[in-house]
Amino acid sequence: MTKTSHSIYSTSNVTQEPQQDDSLFTFEQVDWIDSIKLPQRLLLLNATEFDDQFLTLTSDWRYRFSGENKAILFASGRNFSDLPSSSIKLIKYLTVEYIKENSASSANRFAEGFARVFKDLTAISRESFVAKLRELVVKADRNHSDNSNFYYTLYALRKLERDEFFKSTGDKGDLEDLLLEVPRPRNANWGRYQNLGLVIPDEVCLMIENGVQLWASKLCPKLETKKAKIKHLEKVKKVAKIDVLRDCIITGIVYYVGTRPVQIGKMAGGDYVVDTMNKHGMRYSLLVPYAKKSKLTIDRVRIAVPEELGKLITLYKYLEQIGDEDPLFPTKLASKLMVDKSIKNMLLKFSPKDIQEAEKNESYKLPVYTASLFRHNVGHSMAMNGSSAAEIAYILGHSNYIVADKYIAATPEMADIREMALGRNPVFKNMIALALTGNLVHSTEWKGRRVAASIGGKLHHHIGGCNYEENICPFSQGRGCYGCLYFMPFTDGKHEEALDSFFDEIDEVRHVADDTGQVQHPLMTELVRRKDHVVQVIARIKMVQAKEGFE
């Protein structure tokens, strides 16, 4: 990976008289654009051996990806010729970020589509972007490109909001609340966009879940004797970094509960409750304070949290000696800054090692996800799983059902959900997940512990090795392996058989859902996600084998 250049990229001279000028932007926005540091070369993730591995950011961007020759003609293209240098530089920045978070295969369409939308804007603010989204939806002669431009504009708006680009325009309120008011365009191929309502990608969610589970298994293992527990606590006191543990807990609370930063700042030690404790396990919950005065209830919201997160909070309270009346988290720093910083830190620590190394070398930058995005992810996820408006409003602490009703209204029909579950939609093969599995290895070369599991009523044992340093797997062995950093898939493994067994389990759950009239069975999402990871591992193995055969 190449180290990112710190030189500011200067665009080429525009020969035609521009129709726009920098008066579109506030002075602060112009300074923000001027401070952008574009890389000289951009690593193209998921590029095959026949693709360009890097994109060189010259005047016109040309590269080969997914078997096609791509070109983004920033200097000579008609879509960009009427735009001033500041606008072009901003579009270049958004295109780079789009490639990092999505794929280089559609980056040319994104840049050109957003440039056309950009020309129609008379001001650069959240309100003008939202107004443009509404215009694209109600357009009488709307075509396929208008639908695409809607989602390109939606991505750009969310990205700029996360980067605080609109801070100087005086826009107030939560952007995602505003976007709930914007209808999505009708599209026969709506399934392609089924995850856009989920503002946090599925693989980022999986990375957080696995990270919290892994940390809990290391710091809070199940020990039988009191002596062993005392010995382990003494060891943890010496090696545990309280600031990092706190970041992990804050990220877990925001992800699982959807709390606002102000609610994190109001939490006391007594708001963390151990509901039950026995030999079979423990149950924990949080009493979440309301951020605003509510008409629905005057008490704190009691929300269950996963056992692994509860164990980490228990350890944290013990190490910091936090009493019931003490603040659960420090009050010196502003709550929003503390929470956003914690999320940023933990997403990096939960990421694969190659991503961490690329971030360290400044050749890759992780996307920014704020607490607000996680909060809306919780609301959308609840709606997708059939929760009522009252349930959503209770969990998120809304003062009425208006927003909750919009979450429910934004969900697709059962047919779209079933289509996703059956895997007919090819876009589910998100190659980002490939980074969440260890190196490929031939079974004859593996000397460590091997994975065995029962999936779909069949025993599967020749699928891969486990590189986890502890003897006990903190996840569901077999199912949890696909998508785990410590799983080393065998290139000669019987992954097709495992995939068939996952399909058998999905069919069983689907039949139960049909018989009971459930729109979304609670197990379906997880089974589909694990099934997708098997497909991705198979694709990865075939890619490597094809490359070796070619060489």
Side-chain angles (χ1 to χ4, degrees):
M1 295 184 179
T2 304
K3 188 173 182 178
T4 304
S5 169
H6 284 270
S7 61
I8 298 180
Y9 186 90
S10 59
T11 57
S12 61
N13 294 326
V14 179
T15 57
Q16 300 181 18
E17 187 70 23
Q19 295 177 352
Q20 289 184 331
D21 55 40
D22 287 347
S23 62
L24 275 175
F25 304 104
T26 66
F27 291 115
E28 291 83 358
Q29 288 175 341
V30 172
D31 291 339
W32 191 95
I33 295 172
D34 288 341
S35 68
I36 293 174
K37 298 176 181 179
L38 294 172
Q40 291 180 338
R41 293 202 307 168
L42 177 66
L43 174 67
L44 299 181
L45 295 176
N46 310 320
T48 68
E49 65 273 24
F50 305 110
D51 295 332
D52 289 338
Q53 305 299 309
F54 290 90
L55 167 60
T56 302
L57 275 61
T58 54
S59 298
D60 286 336
W61 297 4
R62 300 179 186 276
Y63 61 102
R64 183 171 179 80
F65 197 88
S66 296
E68 296 181 4
N69 294 319
K70 306 284 185 178
I72 309 178
L73 306 178
F74 286 113
S76 59
R78 60 184 177 86
N79 290 310
F80 308 98
S81 59
D82 295 335
L83 292 174
S85 58
S86 294
S87 299
I88 290 179
K89 187 174 183 181
L90 181 62
I91 296 174
K92 285 183 175 181
Y93 167 75
L94 290 170
T95 305
V96 168
E97 297 303 310
Y98 182 86
I99 291 174
K100 290 179 182 178
E101 296 185 40
N102 296 275
S103 172
S105 62
S106 58
N108 57 325
R109 293 192 295 272
F110 168 81
E112 293 169 359
F114 183 66
R116 287 192 291 269
V117 170
F118 202 85
K119 289 180 180 180
D120 296 335
L121 298 178
T122 57
I124 307 301
S125 65
R126 292 196 318 182
E127 278 72 12
S128 65
F129 273 82
V130 171
K132 185 60 182 179
L133 291 174
R134 293 180 182 277
E135 178 186 327
L136 289 170
V137 173
V138 301
K139 189 176 178 182
D141 57 344
R142 188 180 71 249
N143 54 34
H144 177 72
S145 64
D146 292 318
N147 290 340
S148 298
N149 290 343
F150 176 93
Y151 289 103
Y152 294 150
T153 306
L154 180 61
Y155 170 84
L157 174 57
R158 280 173 166 162
K159 177 59 184 173
L160 292 174
E161 173 72 9
R162 297 202 304 259
D163 291 344
E164 299 184 343
F165 180 76
F166 301 112
K167 182 184 291 186
S168 61
T169 60
D171 296 334
K172 297 181 180 180
D174 192 313
L175 173 64
E176 295 300 328
D177 285 342
L178 293 176
L179 290 177
L180 283 173
E181 304 282 347
V182 179
R184 282 4 180 207
R186 292 185 177 275
N187 190 341
N189 297 321
W190 191 89
R192 293 178 55 198
Y193 306 104
Q194 58 197 1
N195 288 326
L196 283 179
L198 285 164
V199 292
I200 306 297
D202 283 344
E203 299 312 323
V204 175
C205 295
L206 175 64
M207 194 166 64
I208 294 174
E209 292 171 10
N210 285 355
V212 173
Q213 178 78 278
L214 187 62
W215 278 47
S217 69
K218 285 186 175 181
L219 297 177
C220 311
K222 187 175 182 180
L223 301 173
E224 300 297 335
T225 65
K226 185 176 181 180
K227 182 179 179 180
K229 293 179 181 178
I230 294 174
K231 184 178 178 180
H232 176 73
L233 283 175
E234 292 299 322
K235 178 182 177 181
V236 169
K237 285 181 180 178
K238 296 178 181 178
V239 300
K241 297 180 179 179
I242 293 298
D243 290 344
V244 180
L245 176 59
R246 184 186 301 117
D247 288 343
C248 180
I249 292 171
I250 290 175
T251 302
I253 292 176
V254 171
Y255 172 73
Y256 284 111
V257 182
T259 52
R260 295 184 175 98
V262 65
Q263 293 171 297
I264 295 285
K266 291 181 178 181
M267 286 184 180
D271 291 332
Y272 167 67
V273 180
V274 180
D275 296 321
T276 59
M277 182 185 304
N278 54 48
K279 63 180 181 179
H280 301 293
M282 305 177 70
R283 294 184 63 181
Y284 307 89
S285 62
L286 282 173
L287 302 177
V288 181
Y290 275 95
K292 304 175 183 177
K293 186 177 180 181
S294 172
K295 298 177 182 178
L296 299 180
T297 177
I298 58 174
D299 203 356
R300 296 191 172 203
V301 180
R302 190 185 189 110
I303 303 177
V305 296
E307 183 177 355
E308 56 268 19
L309 180 59
K311 289 180 178 179
L312 291 174
I313 300 176
T314 301
L315 175 64
Y316 168 71
K317 286 187 63 177
Y318 171 78
L319 295 177
E320 286 288 86
Q321 296 295 298
I322 297 175
D324 289 348
E325 303 299 324
D326 299 326
L328 189 58
F329 302 108
T331 56
K332 296 180 181 179
L333 195 65
S335 297
K336 186 178 187 305
L337 292 176
M338 176 182 68
V339 172
D340 288 344
K341 182 179 178 182
S342 295
I343 294 172
K344 180 180 179 181
N345 291 342
M346 292 315 301
L347 286 180
L348 179 60
K349 290 185 180 298
F350 288 159
S351 295
K353 291 183 179 179
D354 57 343
I355 297 296
Q356 294 183 25
E357 188 64 27
E359 176 89 7
K360 182 180 178 181
N361 295 334
E362 299 182 0
S363 58
Y364 183 80
K365 187 176 180 181
L366 280 174
V368 177
Y369 297 105
T370 63
S372 175
L373 295 179
F374 282 101
R375 176 176 175 78
H376 287 280
N377 201 65
V378 170
H380 183 85
S381 300
M382 291 183 67
M384 286 287 286
N385 284 280
S387 298
S388 66
E391 291 168 328
I392 296 174
Y394 175 79
I395 294 297
L396 296 183
H398 292 153
S399 58
N400 53 53
Y401 297 148
I402 295 176
V403 176
D405 286 335
K406 293 187 181 298
Y407 279 121
I408 295 172
T411 57
E413 293 79 12
M414 182 187 292
D416 292 309
I417 299 176
R418 284 169 50 77
E419 179 182 4
M420 178 177 64
L422 292 172
R424 298 193 194 106
N425 182 1
V427 181
F428 77 87
K429 300 176 181 178
N430 190 335
M431 300 306 288
I432 295 175
L434 295 182
L436 296 177
T437 307
N439 296 327
L440 300 176
V441 62
H442 195 276
S443 61
T444 57
E445 300 174 355
W446 180 250
K447 306 301 181 184
R449 189 165 65 250
R450 295 184 175 230
V451 172
S454 176
I455 305 173
K458 299 178 182 178
L459 178 64
H460 298 272
H461 58 85
H462 188 73
I463 55 178
C466 179
N467 203 28
Y468 185 50
E469 58 265 33
E470 305 293 338
N471 292 325
I472 301 176
C473 174
F475 309 110
S476 174
Q477 190 172 166
R479 292 178 180 82
C481 292
Y482 291 96
C484 176
L485 292 170
Y486 297 92
F487 179 53
M488 319 296 283
F490 289 162
T491 54
D492 60 332
K494 298 180 179 179
H495 306 292
E496 297 284 354
E497 289 83 348
L499 179 62
D500 290 339
S501 292
F502 270 106
F503 272 116
D504 290 341
E505 289 194 350
I506 289 174
D507 282 339
E508 291 179 8
V509 172
R510 183 167 53 84
H511 289 318
V512 172
D514 288 343
D515 292 342
T516 57
Q518 287 183 290
V519 173
Q520 178 75 325
H521 193 283
L523 289 178
M524 184 64 81
T525 302
E526 186 62 26
L527 281 175
V528 170
R529 183 163 62 178
R530 298 300 178 182
K531 178 264 297 179
D532 291 349
H533 291 164
V534 181
V535 173
Q536 290 157 351
V537 167
I538 293 173
R540 183 182 178 190
I541 292 173
K542 290 181 178 179
M543 186 187 303
V544 171
Q545 290 174 341
K547 183 177 181 179
E548 292 176 348
F550 175 77
E551 295 174 345

